Amino acid sequence: MRATVAGAPVSFGVFELTPEGAETVAPDDLLAILVETGYGGVDLGPVGYLGRDAALRRRLERFGLELAGGWVQLPFSDDEAFAASLPALDEALRAFVSAAESGPTRLPLPTLADDGSAARRALPGRGAETDPLDTVRWDRLVANAGRAAEIVRDAGFEPTFHHHAGTFVESQEEIDRFLAEVDIDLTLDTGHLLIAGGDPVEAVRRWGARINHLHLKDVDLAELRRVLAAGGGMREVWQSGSFVTFGSGDIDLAGVMAGIDEHGYDGWIVVEQDVLNGDDVSLAAFEAERADDQRRNREALRRWA
């Protein structure tokens, strides 16, 4: 397999949901752990976490890592909110441009995602029942996703679209509909697909030709179902430890990777084990645990990439 494996700040509790002012793993410490455990790249995380402009490029060069991609969440189904969010897309694209100036072997993929709604985030995986989009809003989502893709391509990058629990593109049916109407390929996120009741192995068979980015997660389905049955939303899922190291959960990793390989996948595999740091855990202990988890995750993929 020709894919390259990257780590992600979200596996260390650093992502957009991290409370402002919370103590987090330092970026140099995070990158050092990824290098020591055999990763070839890193996801951007929140814009600015790894630095900006030349500082970002120098940090990546110092650790010998390339930028795999980065999360850009936009309210596609609301024209006014979408227009107001475009500066955030421009800011993220500046980070990609900076990271690409050193001539990486693979360009990063700006990872577009829908913003969803509070109702959907509160009941992940059940959005079609709780907050369905009417035709008018769906058409807005499609049109605005297309506009975002044009902006990304004009900046010299190829976009990818991330289906996500708690958004308006989370179920298999919604992903099918989106791919049929929009000229953007897919980030397959195995964890979020499981939240929505999908099967990652079947997803690779179904969408393999359209998958240009992979977010690979393992999930403890018993814990996930417990959280969802108790009425938990996405924050509770992230806090619960439902995302686990490969081999500790229920994903058919061999099946997913075999399917990806059959399609000749040649891109980034971003390993994600989404987690939020609990207040009762010291940062040092949390960092050590995350380092051990990412070592285990990397080793689980050695036979493929």
Side-chain angles (χ1 to χ4, degrees), residues 7-175:
V10 71
S11 300
F12 295 80
V14 181
F15 62 125
E16 288 71 18
L17 200 66
T18 303
E20 187 174 350
E23 192 176 17
T24 58
V25 177
D28 284 357
D29 292 345
L30 187 153
L31 296 183
I33 289 169
L34 294 183
V35 171
E36 291 165 6
T37 49
Y39 292 84
V42 62
D43 204 59
L44 182 64
V47 175
Y49 172 70
L50 294 178
R52 297 176 186 273
D53 304 320
L56 169 63
R57 184 174 65 255
R58 287 194 299 268
R59 174 169 273 138
L60 293 171
E61 290 172 348
R62 189 166 74 249
F63 286 94
L65 293 169
E66 295 184 359
L67 188 65
W71 179 257
V72 186
Q73 183 171 314
L74 302 168
F76 290 120
S77 62
D78 183 323
D79 285 341
E80 185 175 342
F82 173 73
S85 72
L86 288 178
L89 175 58
D90 292 338
E91 182 182 27
L93 288 173
R94 284 197 296 273
F96 295 124
V97 169
S98 297
E101 285 180 356
S102 58
T105 57
R106 295 187 188 277
L107 286 176
L109 277 76
T111 309
L112 304 175
D114 178 54
D115 191 39
S117 67
R120 283 206 169 207
R121 287 188 292 273
L123 292 170
R126 292 160 283 179
E129 307 164 17
T130 59
D131 188 14
L133 278 185
D134 59 27
T135 301
V136 171
R137 293 176 69 202
W138 177 265
D139 288 345
R140 287 180 191 148
L141 184 152
V142 166
N144 288 327
R147 292 189 188 102
E150 288 177 7
I151 292 169
V152 171
R153 289 177 177 133
D154 287 345
F157 300 93
E158 183 59 26
T160 184
F161 186 86
H162 190 308
H163 63 95
H164 198 283
T167 75
F168 290 115
V169 186
E170 66 173 357
S171 69
Q172 175 180 295
E173 293 74 21
E174 289 164 341
I175 298 168

